Amino acid sequence: MTRLSRCVPDPAKAARGRPSATARARRRAWRRPLGPRLAGVSLSIGIVGLPNVGKSTLFNALTRASAVASNYPFATIEPNVGIVGIPDARLEALAGLYDSARIVPAAVRFVDIAGLVRGASQGQGLGNQFLAHIRETDAICQVVRVFSDPDVSHVDGAVSPERDIETVATELILADLQTLEKTAPRLAKEAKFAQDPARHRVADAAVKAEQVLDAGSTLSAGAVAAGIDLADLRELQLLTAKPFVYAFNVDEAELDDKALRERLASLVAPAESVFLDAKTEAELAELPEDEAAELLAGLGLGEPGLAQLARAGFAALGLSTFLTAGPKEARAWTIPAGATAPEAAGVIHTDFQRGFIKAEVVSFDDLMAAGSIAAARAAGKARIEGRDYVMRDGDVVEFRFNV
């Protein structure tokens, strides 16, 4: 029986027989001095919004990338992609407990997509490119302009968060209605002749979805009330069925305006809302950690808005994390919420899922309170879980498997 320690395993050890030249190269690379890195991600969040709302400024802060931030409607034509680590104080604590050489946070993939304008669903501006790029993402983050700046024009004149939210929603709704109009005949035919109940569910869901959209609601907001299971619509890649997060780009002086925050949040509820000043976030991203903390304290902020945005995006994607730690690294692994222990093991390596035997699990809080895994075991806080165990966010895990 092979036992997996809490540190991240050497991928070459899972190979059978004599390692190939590629495997040997990877093994040599694994033994090099360890530096910071991000866990791989496959899900992405598209950053969208009208021109000149601060999308690229926000993206630059998120990734310290060099996406063009320009007072021009289509300064971002090709989507810029960045992988952003999710701030997680638990990893630093684990690294201290295990004397880990590096920290690997969970990560989210952000895509900066060209600004759309009214009429994008009909191909206006860069509408066709916009719709194609956003269709490829898994969730949508709309940056909404609240700040005032006479030097940065608004495409529709005066600044109005309500109007901007409605404009983007309307374009996405119209695009979805076009998709349903094109697919309705095929779905109806399949429902009539197919024996598979799933085809009937898809057709019924599409009819209900069209009614929701005709009423002016996005599917993410109106599906539950309409009795729609969005999983039945997945094959149609409807834009408004994606989870939404709203990033309100406010003036620095408005960051602590509770009444404003409540009013704006109510416009998009139940979607997540994050309030930040993109310019301030860009400054924070360029500062050393101690100077950034000083600036945050001076502004009366507990943490950067980007940390809130990353967590909100992670939650919108329906993701969760479990933790491993050892001398090599302390790491957060990304799994869908509700994943079982074998599924979580498979995120590390498919062999671990295939040969899963059991998992030793202790909650992060219990482990830190005990001071060591040995003490947690002695206190009865470490549990042995089997195949049916549903992972909880913050579980610190050791998998045992046999292949």
Side-chain angles (χ1 to χ4, degrees):
M1 179 177 72
T2 306
R3 176 172 172 147
L4 170 66
S5 67
R6 290 176 188 79
C7 62
V8 180
D10 183 339
K13 289 182 180 179
R16 294 179 176 178
R18 177 175 171 78
S20 65
T22 301
R24 291 196 297 274
R26 287 176 178 168
R27 182 177 294 172
R28 288 194 297 271
W30 186 266
R31 291 170 178 164
R32 291 170 189 158
L34 303 177
R37 48 184 287 209
L38 292 175
V41 293
S42 57
L43 300 179
S44 61
I45 299 176
I47 302 178
V48 306
L50 295 174
N52 300 338
V53 298
K55 284 191 312 87
S56 291
T57 301
L58 179 61
F59 180 83
N60 289 345
L62 275 166
T63 63
R64 292 187 177 91
S66 57
V68 179
S70 172
N71 183 20
Y72 182 73
F74 309 120
T76 311
I77 297 176
E78 294 301 322
N80 294 276
V81 180
I83 307 299
V84 183
I86 307 297
D88 192 339
R90 298 173 301 186
L91 290 175
E92 291 195 18
L94 281 177
L97 191 64
Y98 285 88
D99 196 24
S100 304
R102 65 183 171 195
I103 290 175
V104 184
V108 170
R109 181 175 180 262
F110 282 93
V111 182
D112 183 15
I113 298 174
L116 80 161
V117 294
R118 197 182 302 274
S121 59
Q122 304 298 324
Q124 294 294 318
L126 295 173
N128 293 330
Q129 291 185 40
F130 168 83
L131 295 174
H133 291 149
I134 196 62
R135 204 176 298 280
E136 295 172 358
T137 64
D138 300 285
I140 297 172
C141 172
Q142 181 183 348
V143 181
V144 182
R145 178 172 175 175
V146 185
F147 70 89
S148 299
D149 187 340
D151 295 327
V152 180
S153 62
H154 191 289
V155 69
D156 287 330
V159 174
S160 172
E162 294 89 341
R163 181 198 59 221
D164 291 358
I165 292 169
E166 182 179 356
T167 296
V168 173
T170 298
E171 295 305 323
L172 298 179
I173 287 171
L174 290 173
D176 280 351
L177 284 170
Q178 290 176 12
T179 298
L180 289 171
E181 182 180 353
K182 293 176 182 176
T183 58
R186 173 179 63 82
L187 295 176
K189 185 176 181 180
E190 289 178 355
K192 183 177 180 179
F193 296 105
Q195 300 298 317
D196 186 356
R199 304 318 301 162
H200 291 273
R201 291 198 301 271
V202 173
D204 291 342
V207 171
K208 293 178 181 178
E210 190 168 3
Q211 295 170 350
V212 170
L213 295 168
D214 277 333
S217 173
T218 62
L219 291 172
S220 61
V224 174
I228 300 172
D229 184 350
L230 290 178
D232 291 333
L233 297 171
R234 188 171 294 130
E235 67 181 68
L236 302 180
Q237 292 186 300
L238 298 175
L239 302 176
T240 68
K242 299 177 186 292
F244 277 75
V245 175
Y246 290 86
F248 290 98
N249 190 6
V250 303
D251 287 311
E252 182 181 305
E254 296 173 324
L255 286 171
D256 60 354
D257 188 333
K258 185 178 180 180
L260 175 66
R261 292 164 65 105
E262 290 178 351
R263 180 177 68 83
L264 294 175
S266 68
L267 296 176
V268 299
E272 288 282 337
S273 301
V274 176
F275 299 86
L276 47 77
D277 172 17
K279 285 189 175 180
T280 298
E281 299 298 328
E283 292 176 17
L284 288 168
E286 296 299 327
L287 292 176
E289 189 173 338
D290 56 341
E291 294 181 24
E294 186 177 342
L295 177 56
L296 281 171
L299 295 172
L301 302 176
E303 64 176 353
L306 296 185
Q308 302 172 42
L309 179 59
R311 277 196 290 270
F314 199 73
L317 289 170
L319 302 176
S320 181
T321 56
F322 70 90
L323 310 173
T324 60
K328 285 186 177 179
E329 64 185 27
R331 180 166 183 160
W333 299 85
T334 302
I335 53 174
T340 62
E343 290 168 340
V347 171
I348 298 177
H349 197 288
T350 54
D351 280 353
F352 303 162
Q353 181 173 3
R354 183 163 53 89
F356 178 89
I357 297 174
K358 55 188 174 182
E360 184 178 37
V361 182
V362 59
S363 74
F364 169 80
D365 290 337
D366 286 342
L367 177 59
M368 298 310 296
S372 69
I373 186 61
R377 288 169 180 152
K381 298 298 183 180
R383 315 180 307 277
I384 299 298
E385 302 288 358
R387 290 182 170 277
D388 295 332
Y389 177 69
V390 176
M391 301 293 292
R392 301 172 186 170
D393 190 80
D395 279 344
V396 182
V397 189
E398 176 182 346
F399 295 108
R400 299 174 190 177
F401 67 100
N402 184 24
V403 292

PDB file of all heavy atoms in Angstrom, residues 145-169:
ATOM      1  N   ARG A 145     -19.287  51.235 -13.330  1.00  0.00           N
ATOM      2  CA  ARG A 145     -18.694  52.526 -12.985  1.00  0.00           C
ATOM      3  C   ARG A 145     -19.609  53.302 -12.049  1.00  0.00           C
ATOM      4  O   ARG A 145     -20.783  53.530 -12.335  1.00  0.00           O
ATOM      5  CB  ARG A 145     -18.436  53.336 -14.262  1.00  0.00           C
ATOM      6  CG  ARG A 145     -17.874  54.720 -13.972  1.00  0.00           C
ATOM      7  CD  ARG A 145     -17.449  55.433 -15.240  1.00  0.00           C
ATOM      8  NE  ARG A 145     -17.020  56.799 -14.973  1.00  0.00           N
ATOM      9  CZ  ARG A 145     -16.509  57.623 -15.878  1.00  0.00           C
ATOM     10  NH1 ARG A 145     -16.349  57.196 -17.132  1.00  0.00           N
ATOM     11  NH2 ARG A 145     -16.143  58.843 -15.557  1.00  0.00           N
ATOM     12  N   VAL A 146     -19.025  53.725 -10.919  1.00  0.00           N
ATOM     13  CA  VAL A 146     -19.698  54.613  -9.981  1.00  0.00           C
ATOM     14  C   VAL A 146     -18.898  55.904  -9.834  1.00  0.00           C
ATOM     15  O   VAL A 146     -19.451  56.962  -9.553  1.00  0.00           O
ATOM     16  CB  VAL A 146     -19.875  53.927  -8.606  1.00  0.00           C
ATOM     17  CG1 VAL A 146     -20.697  54.806  -7.665  1.00  0.00           C
ATOM     18  CG2 VAL A 146     -20.557  52.558  -8.759  1.00  0.00           C
ATOM     19  N   PHE A 147     -17.587  55.830 -10.036  1.00  0.00           N
ATOM     20  CA  PHE A 147     -16.705  56.978  -9.846  1.00  0.00           C
ATOM     21  C   PHE A 147     -16.993  58.084 -10.864  1.00  0.00           C
ATOM     22  O   PHE A 147     -17.519  57.840 -11.955  1.00  0.00           O
ATOM     23  CB  PHE A 147     -15.234  56.554  -9.954  1.00  0.00           C
ATOM     24  CG  PHE A 147     -14.799  56.172 -11.349  1.00  0.00           C
ATOM     25  CD1 PHE A 147     -14.292  57.120 -12.231  1.00  0.00           C
ATOM     26  CD2 PHE A 147     -14.877  54.851 -11.783  1.00  0.00           C
ATOM     27  CE1 PHE A 147     -13.883  56.776 -13.506  1.00  0.00           C
ATOM     28  CE2 PHE A 147     -14.465  54.491 -13.058  1.00  0.00           C
ATOM     29  CZ  PHE A 147     -13.978  55.456 -13.921  1.00  0.00           C
ATOM     30  N   SER A 148     -16.628  59.309 -10.472  1.00  0.00           N
ATOM     31  CA  SER A 148     -16.758  60.473 -11.353  1.00  0.00           C
ATOM     32  C   SER A 148     -15.363  60.951 -11.745  1.00  0.00           C
ATOM     33  O   SER A 148     -14.480  61.064 -10.893  1.00  0.00           O
ATOM     34  CB  SER A 148     -17.503  61.607 -10.634  1.00  0.00           C
ATOM     35  OG  SER A 148     -18.811  61.196 -10.269  1.00  0.00           O
ATOM     36  N   ASP A 149     -15.161  61.201 -13.026  1.00  0.00           N
ATOM     37  CA  ASP A 149     -13.885  61.707 -13.519  1.00  0.00           C
ATOM     38  C   ASP A 149     -14.133  62.410 -14.850  1.00  0.00           C
ATOM     39  O   ASP A 149     -14.408  61.756 -15.853  1.00  0.00           O
ATOM     40  CB  ASP A 149     -12.877  60.568 -13.702  1.00  0.00           C
ATOM     41  CG  ASP A 149     -11.477  61.069 -14.042  1.00  0.00           C
ATOM     42  OD1 ASP A 149     -11.354  62.231 -14.508  1.00  0.00           O
ATOM     43  OD2 ASP A 149     -10.513  60.300 -13.850  1.00  0.00           O
ATOM     44  N   PRO A 150     -14.046  63.745 -14.862  1.00  0.00           N
ATOM     45  CA  PRO A 150     -14.317  64.486 -16.100  1.00  0.00           C
ATOM     46  C   PRO A 150     -13.340  64.158 -17.222  1.00  0.00           C
ATOM     47  O   PRO A 150     -13.639  64.410 -18.396  1.00  0.00           O
ATOM     48  CB  PRO A 150     -14.204  65.947 -15.662  1.00  0.00           C
ATOM     49  CG  PRO A 150     -13.362  65.928 -14.420  1.00  0.00           C
ATOM     50  CD  PRO A 150     -13.686  64.647 -13.745  1.00  0.00           C
ATOM     51  N   ASP A 151     -12.168  63.594 -16.881  1.00  0.00           N
ATOM     52  CA  ASP A 151     -11.173  63.276 -17.907  1.00  0.00           C
ATOM     53  C   ASP A 151     -11.410  61.905 -18.544  1.00  0.00           C
ATOM     54  O   ASP A 151     -10.726  61.542 -19.504  1.00  0.00           O
ATOM     55  CB  ASP A 151      -9.761  63.313 -17.299  1.00  0.00           C
ATOM     56  CG  ASP A 151      -9.379  64.716 -16.842  1.00  0.00           C
ATOM     57  OD1 ASP A 151      -9.823  65.680 -17.488  1.00  0.00           O
ATOM     58  OD2 ASP A 151      -8.664  64.828 -15.829  1.00  0.00           O
ATOM     59  N   VAL A 152     -12.331  61.135 -17.992  1.00  0.00           N
ATOM     60  CA  VAL A 152     -12.644  59.803 -18.539  1.00  0.00           C
ATOM     61  C   VAL A 152     -14.106  59.804 -18.957  1.00  0.00           C
ATOM     62  O   VAL A 152     -15.007  59.785 -18.120  1.00  0.00           O
ATOM     63  CB  VAL A 152     -12.385  58.688 -17.501  1.00  0.00           C
ATOM     64  CG1 VAL A 152     -12.726  57.326 -18.105  1.00  0.00           C
ATOM     65  CG2 VAL A 152     -10.941  58.717 -17.034  1.00  0.00           C
ATOM     66  N   SER A 153     -14.324  59.845 -20.256  1.00  0.00           N
ATOM     67  CA  SER A 153     -15.691  59.964 -20.763  1.00  0.00           C
ATOM     68  C   SER A 153     -16.470  58.681 -20.538  1.00  0.00           C
ATOM     69  O   SER A 153     -15.912  57.588 -20.488  1.00  0.00           O
ATOM     70  CB  SER A 153     -15.662  60.281 -22.264  1.00  0.00           C
ATOM     71  OG  SER A 153     -15.043  59.228 -22.978  1.00  0.00           O
ATOM     72  N   HIS A 154     -17.793  58.842 -20.393  1.00  0.00           N
ATOM     73  CA  HIS A 154     -18.681  57.693 -20.325  1.00  0.00           C
ATOM     74  C   HIS A 154     -19.370  57.554 -21.668  1.00  0.00           C
ATOM     75  O   HIS A 154     -19.827  58.538 -22.256  1.00  0.00           O
ATOM     76  CB  HIS A 154     -19.726  57.863 -19.220  1.00  0.00           C
ATOM     77  CG  HIS A 154     -20.503  56.613 -18.937  1.00  0.00           C
ATOM     78  ND1 HIS A 154     -21.439  56.098 -19.798  1.00  0.00           N
ATOM     79  CD2 HIS A 154     -20.475  55.749 -17.881  1.00  0.00           C
ATOM     80  CE1 HIS A 154     -21.951  54.987 -19.302  1.00  0.00           C
ATOM     81  NE2 HIS A 154     -21.380  54.755 -18.133  1.00  0.00           N
ATOM     82  N   VAL A 155     -19.435  56.335 -22.167  1.00  0.00           N
ATOM     83  CA  VAL A 155     -19.952  56.105 -23.511  1.00  0.00           C
ATOM     84  C   VAL A 155     -21.396  56.571 -23.671  1.00  0.00           C
ATOM     85  O   VAL A 155     -21.826  56.927 -24.766  1.00  0.00           O
ATOM     86  CB  VAL A 155     -19.811  54.608 -23.882  1.00  0.00           C
ATOM     87  CG1 VAL A 155     -20.766  53.753 -23.058  1.00  0.00           C
ATOM     88  CG2 VAL A 155     -20.022  54.389 -25.368  1.00  0.00           C
ATOM     89  N   ASP A 156     -22.161  56.612 -22.578  1.00  0.00           N
ATOM     90  CA  ASP A 156     -23.555  57.048 -22.632  1.00  0.00           C
ATOM     91  C   ASP A 156     -23.774  58.402 -21.978  1.00  0.00           C
ATOM     92  O   ASP A 156     -24.910  58.766 -21.655  1.00  0.00           O
ATOM     93  CB  ASP A 156     -24.459  56.009 -21.956  1.00  0.00           C
ATOM     94  CG  ASP A 156     -24.627  54.763 -22.805  1.00  0.00           C
ATOM     95  OD1 ASP A 156     -24.571  54.891 -24.042  1.00  0.00           O
ATOM     96  OD2 ASP A 156     -24.811  53.674 -22.241  1.00  0.00           O
ATOM     97  N   GLY A 157     -22.695  59.148 -21.766  1.00  0.00           N
ATOM     98  CA  GLY A 157     -22.847  60.480 -21.171  1.00  0.00           C
ATOM     99  C   GLY A 157     -22.659  60.447 -19.672  1.00  0.00           C
ATOM    100  O   GLY A 157     -21.556  60.174 -19.172  1.00  0.00           O
ATOM    101  N   ALA A 158     -23.723  60.719 -18.917  1.00  0.00           N
ATOM    102  CA  ALA A 158     -23.641  60.779 -17.464  1.00  0.00           C
ATOM    103  C   ALA A 158     -23.420  59.384 -16.867  1.00  0.00           C
ATOM    104  O   ALA A 158     -23.799  58.367 -17.454  1.00  0.00           O
ATOM    105  CB  ALA A 158     -24.924  61.383 -16.900  1.00  0.00           C
ATOM    106  N   VAL A 159     -22.797  59.368 -15.687  1.00  0.00           N
ATOM    107  CA  VAL A 159     -22.561  58.107 -14.984  1.00  0.00           C
ATOM    108  C   VAL A 159     -23.856  57.643 -14.334  1.00  0.00           C
ATOM    109  O   VAL A 159     -24.502  58.385 -13.599  1.00  0.00           O
ATOM    110  CB  VAL A 159     -21.459  58.285 -13.913  1.00  0.00           C
ATOM    111  CG1 VAL A 159     -21.320  57.014 -13.075  1.00  0.00           C
ATOM    112  CG2 VAL A 159     -20.140  58.649 -14.562  1.00  0.00           C
ATOM    113  N   SER A 160     -24.247  56.414 -14.613  1.00  0.00           N
ATOM    114  CA  SER A 160     -25.472  55.837 -14.040  1.00  0.00           C
ATOM    115  C   SER A 160     -25.278  54.333 -13.877  1.00  0.00           C
ATOM    116  O   SER A 160     -25.418  53.580 -14.844  1.00  0.00           O
ATOM    117  CB  SER A 160     -26.683  56.110 -14.932  1.00  0.00           C
ATOM    118  OG  SER A 160     -27.819  55.392 -14.473  1.00  0.00           O
ATOM    119  N   PRO A 161     -24.963  53.867 -12.667  1.00  0.00           N
ATOM    120  CA  PRO A 161     -24.774  52.427 -12.445  1.00  0.00           C
ATOM    121  C   PRO A 161     -26.008  51.617 -12.833  1.00  0.00           C
ATOM    122  O   PRO A 161     -25.883  50.537 -13.426  1.00  0.00           O
ATOM    123  CB  PRO A 161     -24.499  52.322 -10.940  1.00  0.00           C
ATOM    124  CG  PRO A 161     -23.966  53.674 -10.560  1.00  0.00           C
ATOM    125  CD  PRO A 161     -24.684  54.648 -11.439  1.00  0.00           C
ATOM    126  N   GLU A 162     -27.182  52.128 -12.509  1.00  0.00           N
ATOM    127  CA  GLU A 162     -28.419  51.406 -12.824  1.00  0.00           C
ATOM    128  C   GLU A 162     -28.552  51.175 -14.334  1.00  0.00           C
ATOM    129  O   GLU A 162     -28.858  50.063 -14.781  1.00  0.00           O
ATOM    130  CB  GLU A 162     -29.639  52.175 -12.310  1.00  0.00           C
ATOM    131  CG  GLU A 162     -29.717  52.285 -10.791  1.00  0.00           C
ATOM    132  CD  GLU A 162     -29.002  53.512 -10.243  1.00  0.00           C
ATOM    133  OE1 GLU A 162     -28.149  54.073 -10.980  1.00  0.00           O
ATOM    134  OE2 GLU A 162     -29.279  53.897  -9.100  1.00  0.00           O
ATOM    135  N   ARG A 163     -28.302  52.229 -15.115  1.00  0.00           N
ATOM    136  CA  ARG A 163     -28.428  52.121 -16.563  1.00  0.00           C
ATOM    137  C   ARG A 163     -27.385  51.160 -17.130  1.00  0.00           C
ATOM    138  O   ARG A 163     -27.678  50.346 -18.008  1.00  0.00           O
ATOM    139  CB  ARG A 163     -28.275  53.498 -17.202  1.00  0.00           C
ATOM    140  CG  ARG A 163     -28.422  53.520 -18.730  1.00  0.00           C
ATOM    141  CD  ARG A 163     -27.834  54.795 -19.308  1.00  0.00           C
ATOM    142  NE  ARG A 163     -26.422  54.915 -18.959  1.00  0.00           N
ATOM    143  CZ  ARG A 163     -25.840  56.060 -18.582  1.00  0.00           C
ATOM    144  NH1 ARG A 163     -26.521  57.185 -18.544  1.00  0.00           N
ATOM    145  NH2 ARG A 163     -24.557  56.080 -18.268  1.00  0.00           N
ATOM    146  N   ASP A 164     -26.172  51.244 -16.623  1.00  0.00           N
ATOM    147  CA  ASP A 164     -25.100  50.382 -17.135  1.00  0.00           C
ATOM    148  C   ASP A 164     -25.383  48.908 -16.855  1.00  0.00           C
ATOM    149  O   ASP A 164     -25.137  48.038 -17.710  1.00  0.00           O
ATOM    150  CB  ASP A 164     -23.759  50.777 -16.518  1.00  0.00           C
ATOM    151  CG  ASP A 164     -23.272  52.136 -17.010  1.00  0.00           C
ATOM    152  OD1 ASP A 164     -23.965  52.740 -17.855  1.00  0.00           O
ATOM    153  OD2 ASP A 164     -22.213  52.587 -16.548  1.00  0.00           O
ATOM    154  N   ILE A 165     -25.876  48.605 -15.650  1.00  0.00           N
ATOM    155  CA  ILE A 165     -26.225  47.221 -15.313  1.00  0.00           C
ATOM    156  C   ILE A 165     -27.310  46.723 -16.254  1.00  0.00           C
ATOM    157  O   ILE A 165     -27.243  45.605 -16.782  1.00  0.00           O
ATOM    158  CB  ILE A 165     -26.690  47.133 -13.842  1.00  0.00           C
ATOM    159  CG1 ILE A 165     -25.517  47.404 -12.897  1.00  0.00           C
ATOM    160  CG2 ILE A 165     -27.310  45.770 -13.550  1.00  0.00           C
ATOM    161  CD1 ILE A 165     -25.923  47.604 -11.453  1.00  0.00           C
ATOM    162  N   GLU A 166     -28.315  47.567 -16.490  1.00  0.00           N
ATOM    163  CA  GLU A 166     -29.422  47.188 -17.368  1.00  0.00           C
ATOM    164  C   GLU A 166     -28.947  47.002 -18.812  1.00  0.00           C
ATOM    165  O   GLU A 166     -29.385  46.080 -19.507  1.00  0.00           O
ATOM    166  CB  GLU A 166     -30.521  48.249 -17.317  1.00  0.00           C
ATOM    167  CG  GLU A 166     -31.733  47.900 -18.177  1.00  0.00           C
ATOM    168  CD  GLU A 166     -32.822  48.950 -18.109  1.00  0.00           C
ATOM    169  OE1 GLU A 166     -32.666  49.915 -17.332  1.00  0.00           O
ATOM    170  OE2 GLU A 166     -33.817  48.819 -18.843  1.00  0.00           O
ATOM    171  N   THR A 167     -28.024  47.859 -19.257  1.00  0.00           N
ATOM    172  CA  THR A 167     -27.523  47.758 -20.637  1.00  0.00           C
ATOM    173  C   THR A 167     -26.827  46.431 -20.879  1.00  0.00           C
ATOM    174  O   THR A 167     -27.100  45.736 -21.868  1.00  0.00           O
ATOM    175  CB  THR A 167     -26.552  48.914 -20.939  1.00  0.00           C
ATOM    176  OG1 THR A 167     -27.266  50.160 -20.874  1.00  0.00           O
ATOM    177  CG2 THR A 167     -25.939  48.770 -22.327  1.00  0.00           C
ATOM    178  N   VAL A 168     -25.925  46.058 -19.978  1.00  0.00           N
ATOM    179  CA  VAL A 168     -25.196  44.795 -20.143  1.00  0.00           C
ATOM    180  C   VAL A 168     -26.153  43.615 -20.053  1.00  0.00           C
ATOM    181  O   VAL A 168     -26.103  42.690 -20.884  1.00  0.00           O
ATOM    182  CB  VAL A 168     -24.079  44.678 -19.092  1.00  0.00           C
ATOM    183  CG1 VAL A 168     -23.432  43.296 -19.153  1.00  0.00           C
ATOM    184  CG2 VAL A 168     -23.029  45.761 -19.299  1.00  0.00           C
ATOM    185  N   ALA A 169     -27.054  43.647 -19.065  1.00  0.00           N
ATOM    186  CA  ALA A 169     -28.012  42.550 -18.915  1.00  0.00           C
ATOM    187  C   ALA A 169     -28.885  42.414 -20.153  1.00  0.00           C
ATOM    188  O   ALA A 169     -29.145  41.301 -20.625  1.00  0.00           O
ATOM    189  CB  ALA A 169     -28.874  42.772 -17.671  1.00  0.00           C
TER     190      ALA A 169
END
